[in-house]
Amino acid sequence: MLESLSVLKFKFPWRSYQHTLLKHFDSHISDHHFHVIAPPGSGKTILGIEILRRLGKKTLVLAPTLTIRNQWESRLQEFFAKNSSFKNFSFDIKSPSDVTFSTYQSLHAFYKSFEDKEDYFKFFEKHQIETVVLDEAHHLKSAWWTCLMALKNRNSFFTVALTATPPYDSSRTELTKYFTLCGEVDDEIAVPDLVKENDLSPHQDFVYFSKPNDLEINFIVDYRRKIAQFQDDLLQDETFIVFLQNHRFYKNPKTHLDAIYKSTSYFSSVLIFLNACGIAIEQEKLEILGFYKDESIEFPELNLEWLEILLQNLLVTDREQLIEDEHYLSTLEKRLRKLNVFERNQVNFVGEQLLYKSLAYSPSKLKSIVDIVSAESASLGTNLSCVILTDYIRKEFLNTPFSDIETINKIGVLPIFQYVKNYCTHNEDLAVLTGSVVIIHKSILNAFAEIEPLHNFSFVALDHDEAFLEVSPKSKVEKSIVEILTQLFENGTIKVLIGTKSLLGEGWDAPSINSLILASFVGSFVSSNQMRGRAIRKDADKPNKTGNVWHLACVDPTATDGGREVDILKRRFEAFVGVTNTTIPFISNGFDRLNFPETILVDDISELNNQTLEKASQRPLITKKWQVSIGSGTKLTKQVKLLHLGEKPFETQKQVYFFDVVRFFVAELSLTIIWFYFEFILEGVQLIISRGFSYFIYAFLGAFIFRFGYKLYKAVSLYLRYGYLHKRIRKIGLTILDTLNALKFLNTNIQNIEVVAQRVNKGDVVCSLVGANNYENALFSKALIEVLDAIDSPRYLIIKTNLFRKRLKTENFYPVPEIFGNKKENALVFKKYWTKYLGRNKLVFTRQVEGRRLLLKARLFHVYNAFKEVSKEVTVWK
């Protein structure tokens, strides 16, 4: 160990969750990686310093910003060094010391400065840097990854990765790179642990909905109408129909089997479109899909998702193969571009970019912000500490007169400022803080002067409101504008602060925030979680603080689920753990915990918002819910939830096992049989007397078969295909658990692990491991989701089949999870345990011709769920 690091020592007792994490330090670091997920307020930086101290090697600490970089040095001096006397550090990556603090940008620039990259690697060898600490490691999905991965592949390092939110919403490629560099997650500090230890404040997320203005509604309705008309026209377009009928896949499918098996959704979209046109699909084409002769197929409806797949392939992916039809395809492309559904080589009928942009920056949200600030001010009074974060400044609205406020058509810092200033009372405690625009009320000048002399700044009154002053420094001052306004906000002089996410969203520390309004719509849920973390920090001066976090959503009037904005919020909420709004509260992630109705219509907005404002005002109740919920559990556990998609008539069910209808059908059939039995007995007395008992029996059996034969056949078929769903899910879970154990993925003794599956509200089924650690839970959840979700392209399939099932056409197809499908011997282990729990099956390798044929058939069996969320991973405190 370096002598300079050996003298460092943490000056205070470790919090219980920190102590637990550090207790397993040796086992975690054994693979030269220590990857920790820890929310804001958990002492990530302190943990990182303790880890680098224990490793005792020369260390490079990398942070995303200069502010965070500087925090590392100050935390080391304050919490580890005697009298802040640690000297063996550097901020210059070109002149490293025992501990070097830098940024990802600096390392990337340093890397690019070497023409010969060999010199870059030798530099680290020369300076004997053996530990690299990656703070806020989620940033690594950008270009900064390259210089770090190159270094890791060449030099041997201990990698310590710290993050509040891994970039789970990134592409699979980016996520793979992230975990390759950082290693698998070793441990996670849970938000409930922090609230329990009084290190984070009780808090709740709230969603405030808004209705688009008339212009936006007309735009959306007109957009949808034009697309619907295009779809109708295309279904009647003889030229397009003939074009598809002459497509090589449709005209000569047997000649192009390899291409069809590689692009099954493309081939399916051709068939689905032609079927929607009323064209009968020949049996030979269905046999290519793996269906038996005379087997009837219920084709899915030609929805916009299928039309997207068809046109995406025709206009982009497969275009080079259709060169003879280029003139026609160019004409088709122009039609789509005119509709604004084809941009950057992407067909999109949902309007993800066009409509989302329109709704995300809808000025209707400005009124939502006014409502929230007014309600929070009425609830908290002088204790209000509200921050509003957004993406853009919009300087063109700096001097908008009151008479023109209603003409503001964009959301941003200055539009929000104008609305709050003019529509909220007591606006003298309002301020704006961005990198280029700073505004304060003249009434706080004396408080400002107590921190920095006024003569060091210029103060210019706004054109249409002289009470507000734009502030800028005249020269270099001791304290920056950010520091001054932060101090004024912390001491309560400023009560509402409007700023940009880029300046205040990450690294900015203001623990007094008790109301945060997220008017930011750029970026992933990683940045959303970072911003949210500003409001849930504990405030030492206000021990009873409760943080309200507000999310804004503009509802799409043409969508019953709220539309694209609500959908994005739902995905972001997967990263947020909090207390539910249910009668009996518990701690979970996901949007469902807010207990909104599944259908969110424009007409319901006012009532939903009133309910939300009422809940937000009940801060003591939020604290009580946290206390009750924390007491009911000990740790966060991952569960897989199989979503109840609704029951369809049996004839249209081509899904594999997604509807637990058996028990209800059997109960209905049993009651009907009992009624029939008594009715027939009562009527049969005369029949026994006149014809004899044997005739009565034959008549009974004949009538029974006539009335119930088909229903019995249906019941048997349903049970063979679906079974009792929660029991079957548990058996699949046991199969996965035993396979993980056999292949030595488990560290915990399998005797201490239990698979639990049960039905919950609305018919959903949840399945989880009890007794497993975080890593084992993650492996189990990922594998189970792969088995349950619509089939993509697994290397191996499990087919539950026998002669009886073939005759009843109830074969089931399941993908072998990727973790077991990488090698045949691993897939065979999975098959072994599948046989143990779920009966006879056949293992099929899908990278051969017969396997591809069956894979195509399996995908078509899942076709009704291709565009639905079938299952999802939820995190629950248990």
Side-chain angles (χ1 to χ4, degrees), residues 650-696:
F650 173 74
E651 288 76 16
T652 65
Q653 289 181 12
K654 285 294 181 184
Q655 296 89 333
V656 181
Y657 44 76
F658 296 132
F659 300 102
D660 191 6
V661 299
V662 184
R663 65 170 62 186
F664 305 108
F665 183 80
V666 170
E668 176 193 7
L669 181 62
S670 301
L671 289 172
T672 310
I673 290 174
I674 290 170
W675 177 256
F676 166 80
Y677 175 78
F678 283 110
E679 184 182 41
F680 196 89
I681 291 295
L682 290 172
E683 293 177 357
V685 174
Q686 188 177 354
L687 191 66
I688 294 173
I689 295 170
S690 62
R691 299 291 184 95
F693 187 74
S694 60
Y695 185 86
F696 166 80

Side-chain angles (χ1 to χ4, degrees), residues 249 305 363 407 428 586 742 783 864:
F249 282 6
E305 286 93 344
T407 65
E428 62 276 2
F586 60 93
Y864 281 93

Side-chain angles (χ1 to χ4, degrees), residues 247-248 314 318-326 329:
H247 191 286
R248 66 189 189 282
L314 293 176
D318 195 37
R319 195 154 179 169
E320 289 185 6
Q321 302 297 321
L322 303 169
I323 196 69
E324 293 179 1
D325 300 290
E326 179 56 34
L329 291 176

Side-chain angles (χ1 to χ4, degrees), residues 172 261-262 264 782-783 785-799 813-823 827 830 843-848 850-860 862:
R172 176 169 292 196
Y261 292 148
K262 287 177 182 176
T264 54
K782 184 174 184 292
I785 285 174
E786 287 180 31
V787 173
L788 299 179
D789 275 356
I791 291 174
D792 183 18
S793 185
R795 286 172 59 83
Y796 289 93
L797 281 175
I798 286 275
I799 304 177
F813 299 87
Y814 303 84
V816 174
E818 185 180 354
I819 192 172
F820 310 136
N822 57 342
K823 296 179 183 177
F830 183 72
L843 183 70
V844 175
F845 182 57
T846 63
R847 299 305 189 254
Q848 295 175 342
E850 176 63 15
R852 284 178 177 170
R853 183 182 68 82
L854 288 171
L855 177 59
L856 190 56
K857 180 177 180 179
R859 282 176 170 174
L860 207 60
H862 279 266

Side-chain angles (χ1 to χ4, degrees), residues 586-837:
F586 60 93
I587 296 167
S588 177
N589 70 330
F591 191 79
D592 292 345
R593 68 180 173 84
L594 299 186
N595 212 26
F596 282 116
E598 290 184 12
T599 301
I600 299 175
L601 303 176
V602 169
D603 293 340
D604 301 331
I605 286 175
S606 180
E607 179 61 26
L608 289 174
N609 286 342
N610 287 336
Q611 293 173 7
T612 298
L613 291 175
E614 175 63 24
K615 289 173 184 171
S617 67
Q618 299 171 355
R619 289 173 182 260
L621 182 58
I622 294 172
T623 301
K624 185 177 179 181
K625 282 187 172 185
W626 272 98
Q627 291 169 345
V628 170
S629 302
I630 288 171
S632 65
T634 57
K635 70 172 186 175
L636 285 177
T637 302
K638 291 185 185 296
Q639 293 182 339
V640 173
K641 180 183 283 189
L642 184 65
L643 303 176
H644 178 68
L645 301 180
E647 293 173 9
K648 295 184 178 182
F650 173 74
E651 288 76 16
T652 65
Q653 289 181 12
K654 285 294 181 184
Q655 296 89 333
V656 181
Y657 44 76
F658 296 132
F659 300 102
D660 191 6
V661 299
V662 184
R663 65 170 62 186
F664 305 108
F665 183 80
V666 170
E668 176 193 7
L669 181 62
S670 301
L671 289 172
T672 310
I673 290 174
I674 290 170
W675 177 256
F676 166 80
Y677 175 78
F678 283 110
E679 184 182 41
F680 196 89
I681 291 295
L682 290 172
E683 293 177 357
V685 174
Q686 188 177 354
L687 191 66
I688 294 173
I689 295 170
S690 62
R691 299 291 184 95
F693 187 74
S694 60
Y695 185 86
F696 166 80
I697 295 297
Y698 289 133
F700 177 83
L701 290 173
F704 184 89
I705 292 170
F706 176 76
R707 288 190 62 176
F708 299 108
Y710 176 68
K711 287 192 174 184
L712 279 172
Y713 163 82
K714 188 164 72 170
V716 171
S717 298
L718 277 170
Y719 182 76
L720 284 171
R721 180 167 295 180
Y722 306 114
Y724 285 167
L725 188 55
H726 68 284
K727 293 181 180 178
R728 174 163 297 194
I729 298 302
R730 182 174 181 273
K731 289 178 180 178
I732 294 173
L734 288 168
T735 301
I736 293 170
L737 177 63
D738 280 4
T739 309
L740 286 171
N741 184 57
L743 297 177
K744 306 202 182 309
F745 284 104
L746 301 182
N747 295 318
T748 307
N749 189 322
I750 194 171
Q751 301 300 322
N752 299 325
I753 302 177
E754 182 183 359
V755 178
V756 177
Q758 59 192 39
R759 292 172 61 87
V760 292
N761 59 315
K762 302 177 185 176
D764 298 341
V765 174
V766 294
C767 183
S768 63
L769 290 184
V770 176
N773 62 34
N774 291 339
Y775 176 67
E776 294 158 349
N777 263 301
L779 292 181
F780 176 84
S781 299
K782 184 174 184 292
L784 184 55
I785 285 174
E786 287 180 31
V787 173
L788 299 179
D789 275 356
I791 291 174
D792 183 18
S793 185
R795 286 172 59 83
Y796 289 93
L797 281 175
I798 286 275
I799 304 177
K800 191 170 175 60
T801 184
N802 53 42
L803 184 61
F804 189 48
R805 282 180 173 274
K806 283 185 178 180
R807 290 294 177 89
L808 286 176
K809 301 168 187 175
T810 58
E811 290 179 296
N812 298 77
F813 299 87
Y814 303 84
V816 174
E818 185 180 354
I819 192 172
F820 310 136
N822 57 342
K823 296 179 183 177
K824 183 176 181 179
E825 52 265 37
N826 292 352
L828 287 171
V829 174
F830 183 72
K831 171 183 166 59
K832 170 188 167 184
Y833 289 108
W834 188 282
T835 305
K836 175 182 175 181
Y837 291 109

Side-chain angles (χ1 to χ4, degrees), residues 557-591:
T558 64
T560 58
D561 62 353
R564 172 75 172 157
E565 278 246 284
V566 176
D567 182 55
I568 286 176
L569 269 187
K570 287 179 179 178
R571 282 192 274 134
R572 288 184 175 178
F573 266 72
E574 295 303 311
F576 307 153
V577 174
V579 69
T580 63
N581 275 335
T582 50
T583 306
I584 301 175
F586 60 93
I587 296 167
S588 177
N589 70 330
F591 191 79

